[in-house]
C-alpha cells in the first residue's frame, strides 16, 4: 500500500539527511533509507560517523498499512530532489515499494528509482535506542542551533564537546582552540519546548522500541570493505593510521628475510623507514597547520590516484635543481652491474 506525503515535506526529509550519506564504497550507507512503519515515514542516512533520522507522521488512511524499507542510492538522489522541486509544494506524492524499484507518483508525472530490496541496513532504531540510554550527571539537555553549529567547520579539525549543564553553554575544544555555544530557548513553536530529555525521548519511544538493545555505532555499522586497496584516502587521520600500519606491517615482514631474501628484506626496511618519516612529517605539519595538512593530504591522494607520481617526482626533482636524468642513468648502470655479477656467479657455480 502506498504512503502519501506532500512534496514540500518530502523535500525536507531529503534535505535534512542527505548531508549524512556515506561514500560509494559502502553500498548500504551510500544513500537515503526510506523506512515506513505503522505511524511514520522516515528518511535515514549515515556515514558511520553521524546518523540522521527525519520523520513525517503519516496520514490517517496510510497508517497501519504496508510497511517497507528501501535504500535510495546516492546517485539517484539529485534526480529525485529535482523531481520533487518540480512539484507544487502542496502536491501529495504517493510512494510505493514495487519489486525492484520505488515509485514516486505526483499529479502529473511519476518517477521510478531502481532499488535493491535485499540490501541490508544497520538497525538504526537499535543504535539510537542505545545512545539515548546513555546517562550523564544531572541529565543536561541543551538545545543547539543547527545554523550556529556549522560555524565550527572553519576550525578544520576534530572537536571535543562538553555538555556542562542545562541551559548553559556547550564547550568546544580543538587544536589550540576553545569555544562555546549557547543553547537556544524554544519560543513555544512546535511540539518540543523547554522540556526534559526524558520527555523528548518519549516522543521516539514507539519508534526506537523496535530496535535491538546494546548496539554501538563504533562496531555495528558497515565498514568500507569495498574500497579498492589502491584508493588513497583524503582524510588526515586515516592517512596517519595507514602510515603507522605500514611501519608495523613492514617491521613484522622483514624478520627472517635478511638471509633468505635480501631484496624483500630491503623493500620492507625501505617501506617501514619511509612510512615512519612520512608519518612524523605529517604529524608535525598537522600540529603546525591543520588546514595545510588536510590540503596536502587531499592533493597527494589525487596525485596517487592519477598514477602519474613518477612524472610528478621527475618534475619536482628538476624544479628543486636536481638532475633526475643522472639519477636514472646511474640506477640503470647499477642494475646492469648487478645482473652481470649474478651471471658471473652462476657461471662460476
Amino acid at each position: 500500500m502506498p504512503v502519501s506525503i506532500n512534496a514540500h515535506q518530502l523535500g525536507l526529509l531529503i534535505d535534512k539527511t542527505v548531508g549524512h550519506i556515506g561514500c560509494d564504497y559502502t553500498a548500504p550507507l551510500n544513500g537515503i533509507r526510506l523506512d515506513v512503519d505503522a505511524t511514520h515515514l522516515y528518511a535515514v542516512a549515515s556515514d558511520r560517523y553521524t546518523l540522521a533520522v527525519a520523520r513525517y507522521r503519516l496520514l490517517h488512511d496510510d497508517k497501519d498499512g504496508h510497511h517497507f524499507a528501501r535504500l535510495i542510492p546516492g546517485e539517484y538522489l539529485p534526480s529525485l530532489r529535482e523531481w520533487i522541486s518540480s512539484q507544487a509544494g502542496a502536491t501529495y506524492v504517493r510512494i510505493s515499494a514495487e519489486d525492484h524499484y520505488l515509485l514516486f507518483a505526483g499529479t502529473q508525472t511519476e518517477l521510478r528509482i531502481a532499488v535493491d530490496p535485499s540490501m541490508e541496513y544497520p538497525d538504526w532504531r537499535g543504535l539510537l535506542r542505545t545512545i539515548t540510554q546513555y546517562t550523564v550527571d544531572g541529565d543536561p539537555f541543551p538545545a543547539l542551533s543547527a545554523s550556529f553549529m556549522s560555524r565550527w567547520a572553519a576550525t578544520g579539525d576534530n572537536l571535543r564537546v562538553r555538555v556542562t549543564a542545562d541551559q548553559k553553554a556547550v564547550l568546544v575544544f580543538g587544536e589550540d582552540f576553545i569555544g562555546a555555544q549557547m543553547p537556544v530557548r524554544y519560543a513555544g513553536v512546535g511540539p518540543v519546548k523547554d522540556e526534559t530529555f526524558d520527555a523528548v525521548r518519549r516522543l521516539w519511544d514507539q519508534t526506537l522500541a523496535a530496535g535491538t538493545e546494546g548496539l554501538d555505532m563504533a562496531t555495528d555499522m558497515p565498514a568500507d570493505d569495498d574500497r579498492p586497496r589502491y584508493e588513497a584516502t583524503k582524510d588526515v587521520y586515516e592517512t596517519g593510521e595507514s602510515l603507522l600500519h605500514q611501519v608495523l606491517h613492514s617491521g613484522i615482514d622483514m624478520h627472517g628475510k635478511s638471509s633468505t631474501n635480501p631484496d624483500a628484506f630491503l623493500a620492507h626496511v625501505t617501506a617501514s623507514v619511509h612510512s615512519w618519516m612520512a608519518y612524523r612529517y605529517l604529524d608535525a605539519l598537522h600540529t603546525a597547520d591543520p588546514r595545510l595538512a588536510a590540503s596536502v593530504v587531499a592533493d597527494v591522494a589525487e596525485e596517487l590516484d592519477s598514477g602519474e607520481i613518477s612524472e610528478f617526482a621527475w618534475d619536482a626533482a628538476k624544479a628543486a635543481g636536481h638532475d633526475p636524468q643522472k639519477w636514472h642513468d646511474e640506477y640503470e648502470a647499477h642494475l646492469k652491474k648487478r645482473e652481470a655479477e649474478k651471471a658471473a656467479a652462476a657461471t662460476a657455480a
Side-chain angles (χ1 to χ4, degrees):
M1 175 181 178
V3 295
S4 297
I5 177 174
N6 73 46
H8 174 70
Q9 292 294 335
L10 180 58
L12 286 179
L13 291 184
I14 300 298
D15 293 343
K16 288 180 178 180
T17 53
V18 69
H20 298 265
I21 68 174
C23 67
D24 54 4
Y25 300 122
T26 311
L29 299 183
N30 182 229
I32 292 177
R33 178 87 158 182
L34 290 188
D35 196 325
V36 177
D37 64 15
T39 57
H40 290 87
L41 166 64
Y42 304 89
V44 187
S46 176
D47 57 4
R48 293 191 300 149
Y49 304 105
T50 64
L51 175 58
V53 180
R55 70 181 181 182
Y56 169 81
R57 181 173 289 278
L58 296 174
L59 301 173
H60 178 74
D61 292 342
D62 288 337
K63 292 181 180 180
D64 299 320
H66 176 61
H67 301 183
F68 66 82
R70 298 287 191 278
L71 182 80
I72 303 174
E75 61 184 306
Y76 300 134
L77 289 173
S79 299
L80 173 60
R81 193 61 185 89
E82 184 177 353
W83 182 85
I84 294 171
S85 297
S86 70
Q87 311 296 310
T91 299
Y92 273 92
V93 176
R94 303 283 284 174
I95 307 173
S96 57
E98 306 301 334
D99 189 15
H100 288 281
Y101 63 88
L102 280 174
L103 175 63
F104 297 83
T107 55
Q108 302 291 331
T109 60
E110 295 182 350
L111 177 67
R112 285 178 169 83
I113 294 180
V115 296
D116 180 358
S118 65
M119 177 76 72
E120 294 186 3
Y121 198 80
D123 183 353
W124 60 269
R125 292 176 174 85
L127 290 166
L128 289 171
R129 177 180 180 178
T130 302
I131 295 171
T132 59
Q133 291 170 349
Y134 296 155
T135 59
V136 293
D137 293 339
D139 288 333
F141 189 45
L144 302 179
S145 168
S147 62
F148 292 160
M149 293 175 71
S150 64
R151 300 178 182 182
W152 303 116
T155 62
D157 196 9
N158 289 341
L159 299 176
R160 292 186 179 274
V161 178
R162 173 70 173 177
V163 177
T164 55
D166 202 24
Q167 299 304 327
K168 298 296 183 181
V170 173
L171 285 172
V172 178
F173 295 90
E175 186 74 27
D176 292 323
F177 181 88
I178 185 173
Q181 180 169 326
M182 282 297 295
V184 295
R185 291 182 177 273
Y186 286 94
V189 178
V192 182
K193 303 177 179 61
D194 287 330
E195 300 184 70
T196 65
F197 173 72
D198 287 338
V200 177
R201 183 175 61 184
R202 282 195 291 272
L203 297 176
W204 287 86
D205 277 350
Q206 181 179 356
T207 294
L208 302 184
T212 303
E213 287 195 70
L215 297 186
D216 190 332
M217 285 185 66
T219 57
D220 295 305
M221 299 292 279
D224 290 338
D225 295 332
D226 294 332
R227 173 183 288 187
R229 294 183 61 186
Y230 56 81
E231 187 78 17
T233 177
K234 296 183 179 181
D235 181 82
V236 172
Y237 302 98
E238 288 185 4
T239 300
E241 179 186 12
S242 175
L243 290 171
L244 290 174
H245 182 270
Q246 183 62 56
V247 172
L248 298 176
H249 190 182
S250 295
I252 294 173
D253 286 344
M254 74 173 67
H255 289 298
K257 292 185 172 60
S258 57
S259 59
T260 60
N261 193 337
D263 289 341
F265 174 77
L266 180 59
H268 289 306
V269 170
T270 302
S272 182
V273 170
H274 287 181
S275 294
W276 177 246
M277 292 169 62
Y279 172 78
R280 294 286 284 120
Y281 297 152
L282 177 60
D283 184 51
L285 177 60
H286 185 263
T287 300
D289 192 335
R291 291 187 182 181
L292 180 57
S295 176
V296 169
V297 167
D299 288 344
V300 171
E302 293 285 351
E303 293 169 351
L304 292 174
D305 288 341
S306 75
E308 300 174 346
I309 56 175
S310 294
E311 289 82 351
F312 295 146
W314 187 282
D315 294 340
K318 292 183 66 175
H322 303 298
D323 187 351
Q325 184 62 53
K326 179 182 178 182
W327 295 347
H328 173 78
D329 295 341
E330 290 176 344
Y331 190 63
E332 287 289 331
H334 169 69
L335 293 179
K336 289 181 180 179
K337 182 180 178 181
R338 286 186 59 186
E339 289 298 324
E341 291 175 347
K342 289 182 179 179
T347 301

